[in-house]
Structures are given as C-alpha cells and as structure tokens.
Amino acid sequence: MNTTTMPNELINLTISPRLAKNLRRNIKERLIEFILMLAALSAVFTTFAIVAILLYESFGFFKAISLVEFFTGKEWTPLFEDAHYGIMPLISGTLTTSAIALAVAVPVGTIGAIYLSEFASHKTREITKPILELLVGVPTIAFGYFALLFVTPMLQKIFPELPGFNMLSAGLVMGVMIIPYISSVAEDAMRAVPMSMREGSYAMGATRFQTALRVVTPAATSGIVAAYILAISRAVGETMVVAVAAGQQPLLTFNPMDGAATITAYIVQVAMGDLPHGSIGYQSIFAAGLVLFIMTLGFNIIGHVVRKKYTEKY
Amino acid sequence: MVNTQTPLKAESKDLNFFYASGHQALKSVSMPIYENKITALIGPSGCGKSTYLRCFNRMHDLYPGNKYEGQIIMHPDNTNILEHGVDAIEVRMRISMVFQKPNPFPKSIFENVAYGLRVRGETNKRTVADKVEEALKGAALWNEVKDRQQDLAFNLSGGQQQRLCIARALATDPEIMLFDEPTSALDPIATANIEELMSELRHKLTILVVTHNMQQAARISDYTAYMYLGEMMEYGDTDTIFTRPARKETEDYITGKFG
Amino acid sequence: MAVQTTQTQASVLNNLDAVRAMIRRHKRNDILFAAVGLIALMIGLLTLLTLFIQLVSDGYPRFNLQFFSDFPSRRPGSAGILTAWVGSLLVMLVTFFTAVPVGVGAGVYLEEYAPKNLFSDLIEINVSNLAGVPSIIYGLLALGLFVYGLGLGQSILTAGLTLGLLILPVVIVSTREAIRGIPVAIREAAYAVGATKWQVVSDHIVKYSQGGILTGIIIGMSRAIGETAPIITIGALTFIAFLPPSPISDVAPYLNFEWLSSGFTVLPIQMFNWLSRPDHAFHINAAATGAIIIVVTLLMNGTAIYLRYKIRKNIKW
C-alpha cells in the first residue's frame, strides 16, 4: 500500500502482480477523488465567475460614468439620446416593491410560523408544509401574469385611478410568494426552542398563545430576524413579477400607486432589446447587476450570521 | 393512614397513566400528600416517579394521546383535578412546578419572576414589583440579584437559575409546589442551598419532590414513597422508610443493593 | 404561619369565578389566534388556487392538440407552443447532464472526501451563497461568459448550462442531506470487507441515498423549467418559428449535436413574450402556456415531496 515507493518498482519491472494491482487501484482512487473535487470546486468557480464578469463589465461602464453620477443621479435613461445613468430610480423601485412585499409577508409569514410551530397538530403540519413548498415551486412568471391580469384589475376597482402597471400589485403578489420563505425559516427557529422552556411557561398556567408570544417568540428572535433578512434578499432579487406587472419605466418614486422599474426589471428590459455587445447600455446592466449582487449578498451574509447565532444557542 | 393529625392537601386514588404509545407508566397509585410537608418520591430510573409528579399539574396534557385514569383529589375543595371539566390551566395556577434543569425564559431576572403574574393579567406595577421582591426573598435570591434585576436570567449561575425558577413558581402563591429532581444538574453547594430553601418553603406550602438521591430524600422529606415499575411499593414517614422498611425491595434499593 | 397558608390558598380558591373567567378569556385568545394562523397559512394556498383557476379559465380556448403542434405566429388564434416545449425539453436535457453529475459529485466529495478544513469551508460557504444569488445574476454571468466570452451564442447549450449552474446548489444540498442520513456502521461494514473508498461510495453511499438525491434533482429541474429571468437575460427573447435540428438522425452515428448550438425558445419565455403584448388575444395564449407550466412544475414538485415522504417513512436505520 506504500504508494511513494511504487513508481520505482514499476520502472524496474520487478513488480509483483499483486503490487501492480494495488498501484492501479490507488491511481484510480486518486483520480476519482480529483474529479469529484473538481465538481465541488465548480461552486467556487461559479461565484468567482459571477464576481469577475460583473466587475469586468462594470469596470468598462464606470470608465465612462462616474461613481458619483451613478449613485446620486436621479435619472436613469440609458436608452435615450440624452442618456443619464443615475441608479436612484431603480433603487427606489426595488425598495418600494420589496417594502410592499415584506409588509405582506412578514406578518402573514410570522403568524403562520407561530401557528405551525405552536398550535398546529402533527397532522396539520404534515399537510400544510408540503403545500407551502409547492407554492415555492410555482414559476414566478405565472405570478407575474396573476399580478398584471388579476390583482391589478381587482385593485383598480378599489382605486379607479391606478395605472395598469403599478408597484402595489407587483409588491403584493411578491409578498405572497415569499410567505413560505419566512414561515419555514421562522418555524425552524421556533421549533429549535427547547421544550423545557415551553413546559416552564405552561407550568405557570400560561395558555398556548401566551407561551407562544411571551416565551417562544422572544427565544427564537434571532432566527425570526434571519428569516426576515433572507426574505428581503429574495424580494430585492425577484424579477419576473416586477418586470411584468410594475412596468419598466425608471421613475424616482416611492408611491406604490406608480409604475416604476426595479433593478431586475431594467436588466430584463435591456436584454429584450438588442443593444450591441460592449456598448455602454450593455455594460449598464452589469453595473446594475453588480449593485443587486452586493445588496443580496449583504442580506444573505447578515441573515446567515444571525441564523447561526440561534443554532449555536441551543 | 400514617398520620391523622396533619390535614391532607391532596391524594391520588387508583391513578393509572398511559402514554400515547400505549405504555402504562403508572399502575393504580394511591397516596396521600400532607399539607405543609415534604413528600419525596424515590425509585430507580423509569419507575414512574416523574410521570406521577407531572400528573399533578397536568403536564402530560401538552402531548397528545396521553391518558389519565383515576383521581387526584385536592383539598380542601375536594376537586378531582384530573376530571375532564377541570381546566388544566386552573390546576397549574394552584400547583406550580420546578424542573430538573433550570429553565429560565430568555428575559430579565425581574420578568422571569413576574411571568406568572403577567400571565394572570396583573398590570399594577407596584403589585408586580412587590410580589417579585417577595418571591426573590422567598427563594433566597434577593440579596444576590436585587441590584441587577434587569439583567438577562441566562447570566446567572446554574444554582441561581434554579432558585430563580423557584422564585418564579413562588410568585403566584401556589398551594403545592412540585420539584422534579431539582438538584440533579447542580453542584453540591448549590444543592445544599436548594435543600435548605425547600425546608423553609414547607412552612408556606406543600411540597412533592422527585429525587434519585436517597440522602436528599432522607435529609429533607417528611414522607417518602418508593416506586418501582409504575407501582407504589411502599409509603411511610421518612424515618420509618429509611430505618425499618416493611418490604425487602425497598430495603434493597435504599441500601444500594439494587437500582 | 398557619394564617399565611390560608391566605395564600385563598388566592385561587376564593376568587374561583374570577380566575375561571380570566382563563376563559385567555383561551378565547388561543382560539382566535389559531383561526388567524390558519387563515395566514391559507393565504398562500388560496392564492395558488386562484392563480391556477385564473390561468385555466383564461387559457381554456387554447387547450387543444393544435396548440401543442403549432408554431408561434403573429396571429394569436393560430399561434402554438411547439417550438417552446421542444426547446424546454432540449434545454432541460443539457441542464440535467450538467447539474446531475457535477452536483452529485460535489455533494459526494463534500460528505465523503473533503477534509474538514478551510478548503471545505470555502466550498460550503460558496454553495450556500450561490443558493441565495438571484436567478437574473446567473443570466448576467451567462451573457458575459457563455454568450460572448466563450462564444456559445444564444444557444440551447448556453441556456442549459446556465440553468444547470442555477440548480447546482439544490442538487448539492440534497445529495449531502441524503448521504448524511446513512449511518457510519454501513461504511464500516463495507470497509471491513476490503472495499476501497470509491467502492464504498459507488456501491453503498450513492445507492442508499439515491432516493434523496432524486428528490433534489426533481425539485431542481422543476425550478429550471419555470425559470424565465436568466433566459431572457442571455437575449433569447426572439421570435423562433423553427425547430432545432433533431438530436437523433437516421444515419450513423444516429446522434446529432447540432441542436446544441441552435437558437431556441422555452415555455416561460413564450409565455412572457405573449404576456408583454398589448393585444389581449395573446394573453389567452400566455394563460394557456402558464397553466401548462404550472401543471408540469406542480407534478414534479408533488412527486418529489411524495418521494421524500416515502423515504422518510420507509428507511429506519
């Protein structure tokens, strides 16, 4: 089995058949391990490639457009004759739709998580959780259709002046989409709270609701917060719902009743047209993508750190 | 039975208990609990002593499928606390519990002790603060924490946490306090503190304690029950049980030949 | 002391009515919250149901075989999804052969081979990070790397590789979870009879975890079928009125790889295309396409969830 001395023996051709077999086997084993390692490294490679491509194309963009104009400019009109590259309107669109989505998903997701973890019977949980998973599996383009052709017309009955493209409808539908993310991560956190803590509360004569609200939820705070942060990251990166239903007009507004483009919707809009490769317009989607990547990466990292904290606690 | 002078606080009559799995953990257990006394439950692991204790504040209700049969009568009102019409929460408001491992809530020391009052809807700040102070004093913790009542309870030592849990249980003036191996997670000094505290508390309320430490039972209890395989093998006043047990099995367990 | 005892005992007993009223009040909150919680959970389900009914009823006129066998057209009534479903099938083929070997290989490596050190931590962090990267970023990666960097163009190969990378974390994570469920005793038993590491992995580890791995693959593939954003980003939103060359030919070697470099469209892109037209007649086509996509993805996800449920029930190490 001593591999280091084997090559010499091989050269001398004095090798016994048994050792030769061992050698072949060892080489094969090493080769397989190497191939598997390459497969694992593909994850590192992908991250690296994403960062490299975004930085490379953005670099070209920022040679023409100053960072100051990019971050402080209030107009985003790369496709106009008189092009402006201020990303503020795209950020405002992204933040507004995400805020609406969270306003829906945070309360509904949290209440759902408390119900699942503290109230639901084993059977209810067994039925409900797969359904929530199915909801996660629905393609986002279908939600886009729903927002544009079902929710918006319905909202227009309440607000007759609501335009066909608006952030309210897109945000609401996106909110429903991310409920399962919040409820499942938050539920995990609550179920990680040791039973002894619940027993302590029940032994004092507390009801289920009191135990859930006063003991379990505070004990699971970090996990619940992590769920919110991961949900923000989802909302910020969501594309099809906003591209279809919120419109693609970059507009610096925080009014949910307006239509406005998000970062993602802008990327879709440019990709749909035929901007020549290497043009500043082409590069602009990478600059926008870089901002998006940094935002989501930031939220994901914070989310994971906060989440780690609760898994360590118990 | 053994004692006719001291009033009864509670008694179990032909108590059977079945876990959801169908396993019968208690077999026709009958036993008196005397007022302002400490009754100790001893026996080898798995003998049903903790199961028996947890019947008294209906902890088993928390897990679906568990079933009680028989009665636990509470005096002076003669309520069978296992009866269907009797609310488990009402029972727990009368009978509180201290667990094997300290289980403070992720709240401040003050809020931990005040928990039972909050649960009962007490909003008067003065009343809550007075009760908390009284309970902390009753649990011999006041001097150690009076200046840091807003600190997180997790920052206390294990022994302090257990006394905090006692204070929490004490704050709502329970009639009976259940202790489920309260010192098994503590060092000898903290254990001595808790034992002393229990002896003090007996003047205020009735205590039922599960312990696997025979010396502890001998030191602090007035009555002792020896349980084995879900059955009550022997019950009597502690001196008698430890010096002249009636049954061979009890003697074997107490002398360490078995268990 | 005796006096105090009676006093404290009075706290519940003497106020029994008040205590009981309070408990009843608190319990009403329990019931109230349980109802609210159930409603909260139903919101998702109800939305899914409404969405599906809406798509089916809107797209109803187009549910016929013609719709599946027609090419896209400028006339909404005679436009079909032939190129789209063929494109989806071919793209999925590439995605499958990218994500499965790489994903399963990576999962096996991380669980069975990787030393627990900084190197494996690095890979692990990358995998969990990639799972959170928005899909449109993968589109930008593909646009810069595959379309222009490697000159693969807006082809089936590009789309398949992109979606393959996208679902890689799903496959890796599910492979790892499945492998983690196998007890050490099984490995020791195999090593004890003289198996090499690779023999242990291929004969035992992968075999016993194949159900879990399959679950992950199905979930990943169903996600890939519905993905729209990355495919739009590589610039594939064009009018495609032709089929890619057939992968199977009637002359030797019977296999043909020209289709890999062919232009294409896929179902969600076709849906988006029709959805973004102002003419409402096209929205009917979009709805019909959407209903088909949802049925396919729900079936796949449902299968995966059922499979996982079965595995959990059957295997007891």
Side-chain angles (χ1 to χ4, degrees), chain C:
Chain C
M1 276 305 167
V3 179
Q4 198 189 349
T5 310
T6 18
Q7 242 175 16
T8 51
Q9 282 182 358
S11 67
V12 170
L13 273 187
N14 285 2
N15 301 309
L16 209 52
D17 287 338
V19 169
R20 285 188 177 156
M22 178 193 67
I23 293 173
R24 267 201 302 280
R25 226 172 30 245
H26 288 170
K27 285 198 148 178
R28 262 205 300 280
N29 287 344
D30 268 20
I31 295 166
L32 208 68
F33 183 84
V36 172
L38 206 57
I39 292 168
L41 284 177
M42 294 300 272
I43 287 179
L45 178 64
L46 283 179
T47 308
L48 181 57
L49 224 74
T50 321
L51 157 70
F52 186 64
I53 292 170
Q54 180 77 11
L55 285 173
V56 171
S57 65
D58 284 1
Y60 183 71
R62 303 311 318 273
F63 289 132
N64 49 48
L65 283 178
Q66 199 90 43
F67 190 57
F68 289 89
S69 61
D70 273 344
F71 284 97
S73 160
R74 289 176 210 292
R75 281 167 293 125
S78 57
I81 55 168
L82 176 65
T83 51
W85 72 257
V86 171
S88 275
L89 216 62
L90 292 175
V91 169
M92 283 310 114
L93 207 62
V94 178
T95 301
F96 182 85
F97 282 106
T98 316
V100 172
V102 178
V104 175
V108 167
Y109 180 80
L110 288 173
E111 280 305 307
E112 295 295 313
Y113 288 88
K116 292 276 163 270
N117 59 17
L118 212 69
F119 174 70
S120 59
D121 279 355
L122 177 77
I123 298 175
E124 228 157 283
I125 290 166
N126 269 290
V127 173
S128 63
N129 169 47
L130 282 177
V133 170
S135 62
I136 196 160
I137 299 285
Y138 285 90
L140 290 175
L141 164 70
L143 181 64
L145 185 67
F146 298 142
V147 176
Y148 293 112
L150 300 176
L152 299 178
Q154 285 135 1
S155 62
I156 289 177
L157 182 61
T158 298
L161 289 174
T162 311
L163 295 180
L165 288 183
L166 179 74
I167 66 168
L168 207 53
V170 179
V171 180
I172 295 177
V173 168
S174 63
T175 301
R176 297 189 64 181
E177 271 171 13
I179 291 178
R180 226 173 281 162
I182 301 173
V184 183
I186 297 282
R187 294 177 179 80
E188 287 175 348
Y191 281 123
V193 293
T196 64
K197 189 153 201 168
W198 175 242
Q199 283 167 336
V200 172
V201 167
S202 57
D203 294 348
H204 300 280
I205 303 297
V206 173
K207 203 175 238 167
Y208 305 147
S209 52
Q210 60 189 7
I213 296 175
L214 187 62
T215 308
I217 293 171
I218 297 174
I219 290 176
M221 292 296 285
S222 105
R223 186 173 162 206
I225 284 185
E227 268 301 341
T228 322
I231 310 283
I232 296 179
T233 311
I234 61 175
L237 190 78
T238 40
F239 187 75
I240 300 283
F242 58 86
L243 284 177
S246 167
I248 303 157
S249 62
D250 48 3
V251 291
Y254 305 111
L255 282 177
N256 181 343
F257 288 102
E258 270 174 49
W259 57 276
L260 282 174
S261 53
S262 167
F264 70 100
T265 188
V266 289
L267 286 167
I269 295 286
Q270 187 62 68
M271 178 181 177
F272 178 63
N273 188 340
W274 280 328
L275 187 54
S276 38
R277 297 194 190 197
D279 183 354
H280 185 69
F282 279 112
H283 292 169
I284 294 171
N285 291 358
T289 316
I292 292 162
I293 300 174
I294 288 200
V295 168
V296 172
T297 53
L298 285 189
L299 278 179
M300 290 177 78
N301 277 309
T303 310
I305 291 168
Y306 176 74
L307 207 65
R308 194 180 48 205
Y309 174 74
K310 286 288 275 188
I311 295 167
R312 246 183 235 160
K313 258 190 118 172
N314 289 344
I315 294 188
K316 290 197 178 71
W317 293 106

Side-chain angles (χ1 to χ4, degrees), chain A:
Chain A
M1 284 299 259
N2 192 343
T3 46
T4 50
T5 59
M6 263 190 214
N8 289 330
E9 294 180 54
L10 194 68
I11 293 162
N12 294 337
L13 291 174
T14 56
I15 180 170
S16 74
R18 191 173 58 84
L19 284 180
K21 201 175 148 210
N22 279 350
L23 176 65
R24 268 200 306 278
R25 195 171 64 205
N26 274 321
I27 290 177
K28 188 182 155 206
E29 287 284 318
R30 287 290 157 85
L31 196 68
I32 288 167
E33 179 169 354
F34 181 71
I35 291 170
L36 291 176
M37 187 184 75
L38 285 186
L41 278 175
S42 67
V44 181
F45 158 78
T46 308
T47 310
F48 179 76
I50 288 173
V51 174
I53 294 276
L54 290 179
L55 283 178
Y56 173 76
E57 298 286 0
S58 302
F59 186 70
F61 176 81
F62 286 118
K63 267 201 293 200
I65 314 299
S66 78
L67 276 170
V68 177
E69 183 190 344
F70 185 68
F71 281 114
T72 59
K74 293 193 172 75
E75 268 184 277
W76 181 266
T77 54
L79 309 175
F80 286 13
E81 200 70 38
D82 172 32
H84 287 283
Y85 298 94
I87 199 163
M88 294 271 276
L90 297 185
I91 301 267
S92 76
T94 304
L95 291 183
T96 309
T97 49
S98 300
I100 299 166
L102 287 172
V104 174
V106 163
V108 177
T110 312
I111 291 172
I114 295 176
Y115 177 80
L116 272 182
S117 154
E118 304 301 311
F119 284 77
S121 66
H122 179 71
K123 207 169 170 188
T124 316
R125 208 166 19 233
E126 289 282 291
I127 298 169
T128 319
K129 293 189 78 172
I131 291 175
L132 287 174
E133 258 182 273
L134 283 182
L135 193 65
V136 174
V138 174
T140 55
I141 179 76
F143 280 109
Y145 180 97
F146 187 63
L148 181 69
L149 296 177
F150 182 83
V151 177
T152 295
M154 217 170 67
L155 290 172
Q156 280 169 333
K157 285 185 187 141
I158 310 168
F159 312 107
E161 72 283 9
L162 191 74
F165 293 123
N166 62 81
M167 294 194 282
L168 182 61
S169 156
L172 290 177
V173 171
M174 212 156 77
V176 174
M177 263 173 56
I178 56 179
I179 290 172
Y181 290 103
I182 293 187
S183 60
S184 84
V185 177
E187 192 221 338
D188 280 352
M190 289 181 195
R191 286 170 72 79
V193 174
M195 200 55 210
S196 66
M197 216 178 261
R198 287 186 189 85
E199 287 190 346
S201 169
Y202 284 122
M204 297 303 301
T207 60
R208 257 178 211 284
F209 183 58
Q210 287 170 327
T211 305
L213 210 68
R214 290 167 180 271
V215 174
V216 179
T217 309
T221 309
S222 55
I224 297 170
V225 170
Y228 297 164
I229 294 169
L230 295 175
I232 298 176
S233 167
R234 288 275 161 193
V236 166
E238 173 44 42
T239 308
M240 293 323 294
V241 175
V242 284
V244 169
Q248 298 177 347
Q249 201 66 252
L251 200 64
L252 183 53
T253 172
F254 291 98
N255 182 356
M257 311 289 263
D258 286 336
T262 61
I263 299 176
T264 50
Y266 169 71
I267 297 172
V268 164
Q269 187 198 9
V270 170
M272 272 159 55
D274 46 4
L275 277 174
H277 173 227
S279 68
I280 191 107
Y282 170 85
Q283 288 167 337
S284 72
I285 61 175
F286 288 90
L290 183 64
V291 172
L292 178 66
F293 181 71
I294 292 169
M295 281 169 82
T296 53
L297 184 69
F299 285 125
N300 284 337
I301 289 173
I302 299 169
H304 281 293
V305 169
V306 175
R307 198 176 176 179
K308 254 234 159 75
K309 246 170 106 182
Y310 86 76
T311 39
E312 275 163 12
K313 204 159 72 185
Y314 303 116

Side-chain angles (χ1 to χ4, degrees), chain B residues 55-76:
Chain B
C55 289
F56 277 78
N57 69 346
R58 304 260 301 262
M59 268 292 131
H60 297 298
D61 288 26
L62 296 179
Y63 307 93
N66 294 336
K67 202 171 90 213
Y68 312 90
E69 265 172 24
Q71 298 179 316
I72 294 178
I73 305 287
M74 239 178 119
H75 298 290

Side-chain angles (χ1 to χ4, degrees), chain B residues 191-245:
Chain B
T191 300
N193 285 337
I194 301 278
E195 286 181 7
E196 198 188 320
L197 183 55
M198 289 168 74
S199 300
E200 276 299 312
L201 286 176
R202 135 175 58 184
H203 302 301
K204 282 189 204 159
L205 39 77
T206 307
I207 289 176
L208 188 57
V209 55
V210 165
T211 177
H212 59 201
N213 177 338
M214 250 105 44
Q215 286 76 32
Q216 183 168 68
R219 275 196 300 269
I220 60 171
S221 71
D222 302 297
Y223 300 98
T224 298
Y226 170 64
M227 289 180 73
Y228 181 62
L229 292 179
E231 287 183 75
M232 170 70 58
M233 302 303 285
E234 189 168 351
Y235 172 89
D237 67 65
T238 301
D239 288 342
T240 316
I241 291 274
F242 277 89
T243 49
R244 300 180 303 278

